Amino acid sequence: MAQINARVADEDKEKAEKVLKAHGSSVSGYFASVIEYIADTGAIPFEIKQKPKLVNFDEVYAEAVEKFADLYNGLVLMSKAMQPGITDQWERSRALCNDHSLAMSFLQENERYVYGAPCQMEKVTTGDGSQHDFSLGRERFPALKTGLAHALRCINFNSRPLDRSDLDEMSEALSGAEAALQSLRDLSPGERSIESRIAFFITAALDALQAAKVLTDGPNEAFMFHHWFTRLDAVCRDVVACHKRVGSTKWDAQIQLVVEHVATVKNQIDEWNRKRLDFASQNSSNWLAFQGNAIDVADEQVRKLQRTALRGGSR
């Protein structure tokens, strides 16, 4: 029989034991049942998605706007750095393509919060005189998404050398995106709480570690490996962006430690992937096990920050 070990906070374990006991089960018995279910069905019984508990709808809306703003700023910098005649535009824009996917995923996963945020609602009077809430975000986010996607296509989907017309078209698309972005920013609440900023930072860090675990746990099909590798690349940059938005807090040392550990995980996975590809070219097996405990150490630091900064404890 195999044994599975997991590190959790003592208080969380005690609470879980009480809940499970009330349902006639135990921690070990329940998790054994979950593992058996996954093995038998090939499916996960439920998805646990980390959601910031202290974040209201307005702050989720603001975070969505900021993620698209980061993408817009990256595209502007790239457009200024590119010149007609270059042939490596696809490689240069790869990271921004990953960031685009991440921003789109965030908006999709949090659609109910973003489009339900009071800060972007207005009252609309219908013909019968009744008033209804109307989401301005539903009207303006599509224009922003279209402009940014168009700007990316100008440099990412042509195999020929970059032309001046490509850059001019990209500039026009970014101008439209800038107007849409500004209109969305104008609707954002003035000041966001420190708790919400830290919560989004923690969520990004946990997302990065989830991608790291999926990548390194075992062989994946090439398509899925590429998906999680690009996801890790984008979320690690999102960790840095969320860190900048946190600002100065009494948890600065802990937050900085998390940033450093996530960076270590990314660097080690990049190095492991290079070794893995070299190993695959020389062996019939195409999988090389990931060595080290960097992911576990980073996970422990993230959860420690979560307990102290968001749960008000030091456990």
Side-chain angles (χ1 to χ4, degrees), residues 94-109:
R94 183 189 307 228
L96 288 174
C97 287
N98 297 343
D99 293 345
H100 177 261
S101 297
L102 185 70
M104 294 290 289
S105 295
F106 183 88
L107 183 60
Q108 183 178 8
E109 291 169 5

Side-chain angles (χ1 to χ4, degrees), residues 183-222:
S183 68
L184 289 166
R185 272 183 158 165
D186 289 342
L187 300 171
S188 292
E191 186 62 32
R192 296 168 59 189
S193 68
I194 292 295
E195 288 81 4
S196 80
R197 295 173 187 270
I198 294 177
F200 282 118
F201 170 76
I202 289 172
T203 300
L206 289 173
D207 283 348
L209 296 179
Q210 179 200 25
K213 290 172 184 176
V214 173
L215 277 172
T216 57
D217 274 349
N220 291 291
E221 294 181 1

Side-chain angles (χ1 to χ4, degrees), residues 245-312:
R245 288 197 282 274
V246 169
S248 179
T249 75
K250 63 181 179 180
W251 299 285
D252 283 354
Q254 278 185 269
I255 292 171
Q256 182 60 39
L257 199 58
V258 168
V259 172
E260 292 170 1
H261 279 294
V262 170
T264 297
V265 169
K266 178 64 166 61
N267 291 337
Q268 290 192 7
I269 286 182
D270 285 343
E271 179 61 26
W272 162 75
N273 189 48
R274 286 190 286 270
K275 293 179 179 178
R276 184 187 67 85
L277 293 172
D278 184 60
F279 180 81
S281 68
Q282 301 179 35
N283 297 271
S284 57
S285 171
N286 66 350
W287 190 255
L288 179 68
F290 180 78
Q291 301 294 326
N293 64 344
I295 299 173
D296 289 337
V297 172
D299 185 80
E300 186 175 353
Q301 291 298 326
V302 174
R303 296 186 187 280
K304 181 179 179 182
L305 173 64
Q306 187 178 45
R307 292 193 297 269
T308 55
L310 299 186
R311 296 184 184 177

Side-chain angles (χ1 to χ4, degrees), residues 3-310:
Q3 183 174 349
I4 299 175
N5 296 314
R7 287 181 291 185
V8 298
D10 292 337
E11 187 176 331
D12 289 343
K13 180 175 180 290
E14 291 170 4
K15 288 181 178 179
E17 284 175 338
K18 291 179 181 178
V19 173
L20 290 168
K21 185 177 181 180
H23 289 270
S25 186
S26 65
V27 172
S28 60
Y30 180 78
F31 281 103
S33 299
V34 171
I35 295 298
E36 290 171 1
Y37 176 90
I38 295 172
D40 290 342
T41 66
I44 297 176
F46 53 86
E47 180 184 9
I48 300 177
K49 180 66 178 176
Q50 294 290 334
K51 291 289 185 185
K53 295 180 180 179
L54 303 178
V55 178
N56 61 39
F57 281 28
D58 281 349
E59 289 175 322
V60 180
Y61 170 88
E63 183 67 19
V65 172
E66 288 307 310
K67 280 181 168 40
F68 278 97
D70 290 341
L71 175 60
Y72 166 80
N73 292 332
L75 282 166
V76 169
L77 289 175
M78 175 164 289
S79 69
K80 293 178 179 178
M82 285 189 166
Q83 298 294 329
I86 66 171
T87 57
D88 62 342
Q89 64 269 33
W90 186 86
E91 185 64 31
R92 293 193 193 191
S93 62
R94 183 189 307 228
L96 288 174
C97 287
N98 297 343
D99 293 345
H100 177 261
S101 297
L102 185 70
M104 294 290 289
S105 295
F106 183 88
L107 183 60
Q108 183 178 8
E109 291 169 5
N110 295 280
E111 182 174 323
R112 182 171 75 90
Y113 305 99
V114 174
Y115 295 142
C119 69
Q120 51 88 64
M121 289 290 189
E122 72 172 9
K123 293 291 184 181
V124 175
T125 303
T126 57
D128 60 2
S130 60
Q131 285 194 328
H132 302 275
D133 287 331
F134 176 75
S135 167
L136 292 169
R138 284 193 184 278
E139 180 183 60
R140 300 178 188 181
F141 264 110
L144 175 59
K145 293 189 294 183
T146 299
L148 295 177
H150 188 178
L152 265 174
R153 284 196 299 271
C154 291
I155 56 174
N156 187 253
F157 291 99
N158 48 5
S159 56
R160 55 176 171 73
L162 200 65
D163 190 80
R164 168 53 61 186
S165 62
D166 297 319
L167 294 174
D168 291 341
E169 186 178 352
M170 183 182 186
S171 178
E172 184 177 349
L174 287 173
S175 294
E178 181 183 22
L181 177 61
Q182 187 57 53
S183 68
L184 289 166
R185 272 183 158 165
D186 289 342
L187 300 171
S188 292
E191 186 62 32
R192 296 168 59 189
S193 68
I194 292 295
E195 288 81 4
S196 80
R197 295 173 187 270
I198 294 177
F200 282 118
F201 170 76
I202 289 172
T203 300
L206 289 173
D207 283 348
L209 296 179
Q210 179 200 25
K213 290 172 184 176
V214 173
L215 277 172
T216 57
D217 274 349
N220 291 291
E221 294 181 1
F223 174 79
M224 290 308 300
F225 188 91
H226 176 74
H227 165 78
W228 285 106
F229 197 83
T230 56
R231 170 80 178 180
L232 175 64
D233 178 64
V235 180
C236 283
R237 279 195 306 281
D238 192 40
V239 169
V240 175
C242 289
H243 178 212
K244 291 179 180 177
R245 288 197 282 274
V246 169
S248 179
T249 75
K250 63 181 179 180
W251 299 285
D252 283 354
Q254 278 185 269
I255 292 171
Q256 182 60 39
L257 199 58
V258 168
V259 172
E260 292 170 1
H261 279 294
V262 170
T264 297
V265 169
K266 178 64 166 61
N267 291 337
Q268 290 192 7
I269 286 182
D270 285 343
E271 179 61 26
W272 162 75
N273 189 48
R274 286 190 286 270
K275 293 179 179 178
R276 184 187 67 85
L277 293 172
D278 184 60
F279 180 81
S281 68
Q282 301 179 35
N283 297 271
S284 57
S285 171
N286 66 350
W287 190 255
L288 179 68
F290 180 78
Q291 301 294 326
N293 64 344
I295 299 173
D296 289 337
V297 172
D299 185 80
E300 186 175 353
Q301 291 298 326
V302 174
R303 296 186 187 280
K304 181 179 179 182
L305 173 64
Q306 187 178 45
R307 292 193 297 269
T308 55
L310 299 186

